[in-house]
């Protein structure tokens, strides 16, 4: 197979040694034009029907597109009807311009003008292919012949526009695409673009959109950027044109090619949501816009409810957004790996602690909440996940701030369950493991009743240092034992009471507590760390309305768990 590559001709580089685009940065959003309803739609196994197209159009308007290519009205009756429906049902907002595509052929151009009659703002987008390959094998024409096709079409469009504008006052603008620009010698692209601008009578006040399609990605994005910069610098009537790009994604670098083309001076971008479109698709506008957003640039498109955008897209096109699709895929804000989980948790904690106005969380290029994804588990648990991951889920989803010292123990419980199940565990399954491990532990010692109260200090004690008394019933092997003792605090009193039934092997190490909202009421949760007679750690958790009782429950839980182990 390897020598098979010899049949491919390497792409010719562009003569532009003084290229300037590498020194530029993107500082503002381009003019966006959605071609979902044309390039996207024509690439579907089942193209959208009228109602689907209308729903999709509304979505594009809601997202904020001001220029929307609605189809190829001369191509079929359905396309024609869709254009008429949008116009006649008054579905096009005044600040939105519809764009219609047509080949540079007389009868198609005439039909297109019939289709757009009565619309307020229209871009008539015409094209012919200019590439070296198509000239040679499809049209069998030299470049002059190709220029003639474009110029004749331009003249007809100008003439039909003048008539239409005189009759209806429509606002008609023009767009010309040298199709397969990416496969055309740059000198020829410049030549045809200038001729078209002249034929259309473009002026700095009435600019024409020159759309430079990367129809088939044939080279690395830097070379596409060179092609764009070359044209911008060499087109004579540059001031009469808006430079647009229309990248496809054959090499998987559509987004990069577009970003570099913007550095090279492109002012407008045509693409689709999630990169739908011919073959590997058009450039994905969601990714482009969110990439800008992540650099502090307002993309002027609203993807704050990406679920909705995705829903409409998937329903209307019957395409699926892959799980790893930037920003929109199911898995892109999810960390399975332990070290990633740990860093994300630290980033989130850091941001809360610092009250930082900036997003500074490792592994998450943007705040998922900005696109409406705040309720998804950022951290998901499988057997690759580390000890911090399960603790993060307990905190994020259930409000338990497990002390760090307990993370390895609970992490191991969860990992074991993942290995056993052979799959990812959902948060509620993690909670259920937690509950079984710490909250449903009542043997061998079952604390059946408990009471804590302050005793008056005896005469020898200083005022204000009253002792706490614990009274309770501890069931051991089906037998109830009344226990009662006083101590310096609830935990001390409880330990003394336990000593009455021979439980003396445990040393208190530390405890942590916090309030937790469970349903309507707020409770206290207490995390207890003991050491047994052999110095082994024993952890327990107690929950109660009363913080002191929560600690006592935590102590008995720790002892029970250590006995069980
Ligand atoms: O990819 C392309 O070249 C096109 C043109 C018709 C603009 O879709
Ligand atoms: Zn295209």
């Amino acid at each position: 197979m390897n020598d098979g590559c010899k049949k491919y001709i390497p792409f010719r580089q562009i003569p532009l040694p003084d290229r300037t685009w590498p020194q530029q940065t993107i500082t503002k959003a381009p003019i966006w034009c959605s071609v979902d309803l044309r390039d996207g739609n024509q690439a579907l196994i089942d193209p959208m029907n009228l109602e689907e197209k209308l729903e999709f159009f509304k979505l594009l308007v809601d997202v904020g597109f001001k220029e929307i290519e609605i189809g190829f009205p001369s191509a079929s009756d359905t396309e024609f009807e869709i254009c008429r429906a949008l116009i006649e049902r008054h579905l096009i907002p005044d600040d939105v311009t519809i764009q219609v595509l047509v080949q540079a052929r007389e009868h198609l151009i005439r039909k297109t003008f019939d289709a757009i009659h009565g619309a307020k703002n229209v871009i008539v987008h015409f094209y012919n292919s200019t590439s070296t390959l198509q000239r040679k094998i499809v049209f069998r024409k030299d470049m002059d012949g190709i220029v003639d096709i474009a110029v004749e079409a331009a003249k007809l469009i100008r003439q039909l526009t003048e008539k239409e504008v005189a009759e209806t006052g429509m606002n008609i603008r023009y767009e010309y695409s040298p199709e397969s620009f990416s496969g055309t010698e740059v000198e020829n692209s410049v030549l045809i673009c200038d001729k078209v601008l002249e034929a259309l009578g473009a002026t700095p006040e009435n600019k024409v959109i020159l759309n430079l399609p990367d129809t088939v990605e044939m080279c690395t994005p830097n070379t596409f950027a060179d092609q764009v910069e070359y044209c911008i610098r060499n087109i004579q009537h540059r001031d009469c044109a808006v430079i647009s790009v229309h990248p496809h994604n054959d090499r998987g670098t559509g987004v990069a090619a577009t970003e570099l083309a913007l550095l090279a001076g492109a002012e407008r971008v045509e693409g689709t949501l999630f990169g739908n479109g011919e073959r590997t698709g058009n450039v994905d506008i969601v990714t482009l816009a969110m990439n800008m957003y992540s650099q502090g640039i307002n993309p002027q498109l609203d993807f704050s409810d990406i679920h909705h955008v995705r829903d409409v897209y998937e329903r209307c096109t019957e395409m699926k957004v892959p799980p790893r699709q930037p920003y929109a895929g199911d898995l892109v804000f999810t960390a399975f790996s332990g070290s990633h989980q740990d860093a994300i948790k630290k980033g989130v904690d850091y941001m809360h602690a610092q009250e930082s106005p900036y997003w500074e969380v490792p592994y998450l290029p943007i705040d998922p909440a900005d696109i409406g994804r705040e309720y998804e588990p950022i951290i998901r648990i499988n057997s690759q996940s580390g000890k911090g991951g399960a603790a993060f889920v307990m905190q994020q989803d259930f409000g338990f701030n497990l002390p760090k010292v307990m993370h390895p123990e609970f992490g191991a419980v969860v990992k074991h369950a993942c290995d056993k199940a052979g799959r990812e565990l959902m948060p509620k399954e993690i909670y259920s493991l937690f509950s079984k491990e710490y909250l449903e532990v009542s043997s061998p010692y079952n604390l059946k009743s408990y009471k804590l109260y302050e005793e008056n200090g005896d005469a020898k004690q200083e005022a204000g240092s009253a002792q706490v008394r614990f009274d309770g019933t501890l069931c051991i092997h089906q037998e109830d034992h009344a226990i009662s003792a006083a101590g310096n605090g609830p935990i001390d009193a409880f330990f003394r009471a336990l000593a009455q039934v021979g439980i003396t092997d445990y040393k208190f190490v530390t405890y942590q507590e916090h309030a937790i909202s469970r349903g309507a009421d707020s409770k206290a949760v207490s995390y207890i760390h003991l050491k047994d007679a052999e110095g082994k750690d024993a952890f327990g958790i107690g929950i109660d309305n009363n913080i002191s009782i929560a600690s006592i429950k935590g102590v008995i839980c720790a002892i029970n768990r250590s006995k069980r182990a």
Side-chain angles (χ1 to χ4, degrees):
M1 178 223 161
N2 289 348
D3 275 346
C5 68
K6 297 283 183 280
K7 66 173 179 261
Y8 300 105
I9 308 161
F11 197 78
R12 188 174 73 116
Q13 294 307 301
I14 309 304
L16 197 67
D18 57 343
R19 57 183 65 80
T20 62
W21 61 262
Q23 277 78 52
Q24 309 303 318
T25 45
I26 297 172
T27 54
K28 67 175 178 50
I31 301 164
W32 300 109
C33 174
S34 152
V35 294
D36 288 87
L37 300 175
R38 196 278 298 175
D39 220 341
N41 187 51
Q42 78 185 30
L44 295 176
I45 297 166
D46 290 317
M48 288 178 250
N49 62 29
L50 175 70
E51 291 314 317
E52 285 164 341
K53 261 204 169 186
L54 297 185
E55 184 181 357
F56 209 122
F57 179 82
K58 180 172 181 316
L59 173 75
L60 295 169
V61 169
D62 290 347
V63 159
F65 284 96
K66 300 295 175 205
E67 296 182 1
I68 302 174
E69 189 163 275
I70 57 162
F72 206 140
S74 62
S76 72
D77 289 348
T78 325
E79 292 281 285
F80 192 93
E81 273 164 31
I82 286 162
C83 183
R84 292 313 306 159
L86 282 165
I87 298 167
E88 284 163 20
R89 295 191 204 174
H90 307 288
L91 298 174
I92 311 162
D94 284 352
D95 64 345
V96 170
T97 300
I98 55 165
Q99 178 167 310
V100 283
L101 182 73
V102 61
Q103 264 176 1
R105 295 172 70 184
E106 182 181 344
H107 70 290
L108 300 179
I109 293 171
R110 290 188 186 281
K111 189 152 186 206
T112 303
F113 273 80
D114 292 343
I116 60 173
H117 182 74
K120 190 165 190 285
N121 302 306
V122 181
I123 295 170
V124 175
H125 176 191
F126 67 110
Y127 72 96
N128 64 327
S129 183
T130 54
S131 75
T132 326
L133 191 62
Q134 297 228 32
R135 285 189 336 249
K136 186 171 84 179
I137 64 161
V138 181
F139 303 111
R140 294 163 193 254
K141 277 188 194 306
D142 60 11
M143 193 58 205
D144 287 345
I146 301 292
V147 172
D148 282 348
I149 295 173
V151 167
E152 286 313 308
K155 285 184 186 158
L156 176 62
I157 287 172
R158 193 172 171 189
Q159 185 195 319
L160 294 173
T161 301
E162 278 161 13
K163 185 165 164 278
E164 186 70 53
V165 172
E167 276 174 24
T168 62
M170 275 169 69
N171 172 22
I172 299 180
R173 287 188 283 145
Y174 309 130
E175 171 170 336
Y176 172 67
S177 293
E179 196 209 339
S180 299
F181 162 81
S182 48
T184 306
E185 307 85 340
V186 275
E187 304 78 3
N188 281 333
S189 298
V190 168
L191 170 78
I192 199 164
C193 285
D194 266 327
K195 294 285 184 208
V196 166
L197 290 177
E198 284 162 19
L200 289 171
T203 64
E205 293 72 40
N206 278 313
K207 293 184 202 282
V208 165
I209 300 167
L210 282 183
N211 187 44
L212 308 178
D214 208 358
T215 305
V216 178
E217 268 200 318
M218 303 169 87
C219 57
T220 47
N222 60 312
T223 306
F224 182 61
D226 281 352
Q227 290 176 309
V228 172
E229 182 169 334
Y230 182 97
C231 282
I232 289 177
R233 283 166 54 176
N234 288 284
I235 285 173
Q236 271 183 354
H237 306 291
R238 165 70 187 95
D239 59 340
C240 303
V242 171
I243 303 297
S244 176
V245 286
H246 175 109
H248 280 261
N249 195 36
D250 300 77
R251 295 167 54 95
T253 53
V255 167
T258 310
E259 290 178 333
L260 299 198
L262 289 172
L263 299 181
E267 303 159 283
R268 182 179 184 272
V269 172
E270 292 191 350
T272 57
L273 301 183
F274 310 116
N276 184 34
E278 291 286 6
R279 307 178 306 280
T280 50
N282 290 65
V283 69
D284 171 13
I285 288 189
V286 178
T287 301
L288 283 172
M290 293 314 300
N291 282 357
M292 285 181 194
Y293 184 86
S294 76
Q295 299 302 301
I297 299 164
N298 182 342
Q300 308 293 345
L301 292 176
D302 182 356
F303 291 115
S304 59
D305 188 355
I306 199 76
H307 288 296
H308 172 66
V309 176
R310 204 179 117 167
D311 274 3
V312 176
Y313 167 80
E314 291 191 335
R315 197 156 29 74
C316 293
T317 62
E318 292 176 35
M319 299 292 288
K320 282 269 162 273
V321 171
R324 306 252 176 238
Q325 176 89 10
Y327 304 104
D330 278 343
L331 294 179
V332 299
F333 295 115
T334 295
F336 287 105
S337 125
S339 62
H340 292 205
Q341 293 177 346
D342 186 52
I344 290 173
K345 184 174 166 354
K346 286 186 174 131
V348 171
D349 291 348
Y350 169 86
M351 285 198 43
H352 285 150
Q354 301 291 310
E355 291 176 17
S356 166
Y358 299 109
W359 181 252
E360 294 180 285
V361 179
Y363 300 110
L364 292 180
I366 64 157
D367 181 352
D370 289 351
I371 51 173
R373 299 192 61 173
E374 67 267 45
Y375 298 116
E376 290 160 63
I378 289 175
I379 285 185
R380 284 168 59 172
I381 306 299
N382 65 13
S383 54
Q384 306 300 305
S385 309
K387 49 193 181 332
F392 185 86
V393 170
M394 289 310 298
Q395 183 189 38
Q396 283 288 114
D397 292 43
F398 306 107
F400 288 88
N401 298 334
L402 259 66
K404 223 173 162 32
V405 64
M406 289 182 71
H407 290 189
E409 181 185 87
F410 185 53
V413 170
V414 172
K415 185 172 172 16
H416 177 73
C418 282
D419 282 335
K420 207 166 148 207
R423 62 170 173 81
E424 176 197 3
L425 293 186
M426 293 293 121
K428 66 175 194 302
E429 294 174 292
I430 292 166
Y431 180 82
S432 149
L433 287 171
F434 175 81
S435 177
K436 278 201 192 85
E437 190 63 35
Y438 297 105
L439 309 182
E440 300 162 30
V441 194
S442 57
S443 73
Y445 306 121
N446 184 7
L447 190 59
K448 288 175 87 177
S449 71
Y450 38 81
K451 199 158 104 192
L452 276 170
Y453 52 96
E454 276 192 15
E455 279 194 334
N456 290 331
D458 65 29
K460 286 184 219 124
Q461 299 224 335
E462 288 171 24
S465 61
Q467 293 258 298
V468 173
R469 174 160 290 278
F470 173 85
D471 285 347
T473 310
L474 192 65
C475 178
I476 310 171
H477 303 305
Q478 331 289 327
E479 206 176 301
D480 286 352
H481 299 262
I483 51 173
S484 174
N488 290 330
I491 294 179
D492 184 41
F494 187 52
F495 267 104
R496 287 170 191 269
L498 289 177
Q500 294 172 349
V501 284
I503 303 172
T504 54
D505 297 348
Y506 294 92
K507 274 212 194 75
F508 177 77
V509 181
T510 181
Y511 85 108
Q512 285 182 32
E513 65 191 30
H514 64 80
I516 188 168
S517 292
R518 290 162 67 78
D521 64 339
S522 170
K523 294 202 172 193
V525 55
S526 174
Y527 307 91
I528 300 290
H529 181 186
L530 310 180
K531 288 233 185 250
D532 70 9
E534 290 162 21
K536 282 205 204 116
D537 291 318
F539 298 105
I541 297 179
I543 299 176
D544 200 88
N545 290 325
N546 176 309
I547 183 66
S548 301
I549 301 288
S551 306
I552 280 162
K553 287 185 177 174
V555 169
I556 203 70
C557 167
I559 295 173
N560 277 333
R561 292 187 65 251
S562 117
K563 290 278 178 217
R564 193 173 65 179

